[in-house]
Amino acid sequence: MKRSVLTRYRVMAYVTAVMLLVLCACMVAKYGFDTGKDLTLVVSQIHGVLYIIYLVFAFDLGSKAKWKFGKLLWVLLSGTIPTAAFFVERKVVREVEPLVAEGSPQTAKV
């Protein structure tokens, strides 16, 4: 497996998780303090687009790592639970890192 597959997933996991936290803060401002309706709309749409990209990259990683459906589903859903993507990303990296090392090209010994 190429390192770029893991890197794309990691970047989108962090971006999606941060945007979800921003969205949660906007929702608190909107419903708790009755301010920021327009900002909440914009942030929710941005998070939605980023989450779709996250789904594509996570599915790509899961198919190349040959995950079972339950594990893949948990990784895909972690982008919808605040802070979960941070923890799931760390666990996925620890698990997939050996697969990346195995798939890397070896230098020829002379």
Side-chain angles (χ1 to χ4, degrees), residues 37-57:
K37 286 184 179 182
D38 295 334
L39 180 63
T40 303
L41 177 66
V42 171
V43 170
S44 65
Q45 290 176 348
I46 292 171
H47 172 69
V49 170
L50 292 173
Y51 181 67
I52 291 170
I53 297 168
Y54 168 78
L55 290 176
V56 170
F57 289 160

Side-chain angles (χ1 to χ4, degrees), residues 5-35:
V5 175
L6 181 60
T7 303
R8 285 189 312 226
Y9 164 75
R10 291 184 75 186
V11 167
M12 286 312 300
Y14 279 114
V15 169
T16 304
V18 168
M19 283 304 296
L20 184 58
L21 291 176
V22 171
L23 178 60
C24 288
C26 288
M27 296 295 272
V28 168
K30 179 181 176 182
Y31 292 110
F33 302 105
D34 200 30
T35 62

Side-chain angles (χ1 to χ4, degrees), residues 34-88:
D34 200 30
T35 62
K37 286 184 179 182
D38 295 334
L39 180 63
T40 303
L41 177 66
V42 171
V43 170
S44 65
Q45 290 176 348
I46 292 171
H47 172 69
V49 170
L50 292 173
Y51 181 67
I52 291 170
I53 297 168
Y54 168 78
L55 290 176
V56 170
F57 289 160
F59 185 80
D60 183 39
L61 178 67
S63 64
K64 290 180 179 169
K66 296 181 176 58
W67 290 339
K68 293 183 179 179
F69 180 73
K71 179 172 183 65
L72 179 62
L73 186 63
W74 171 241
V75 172
L76 294 175
L77 288 176
S78 70
T80 63
I81 304 168
T83 70
F86 294 115
F87 299 107
V88 172

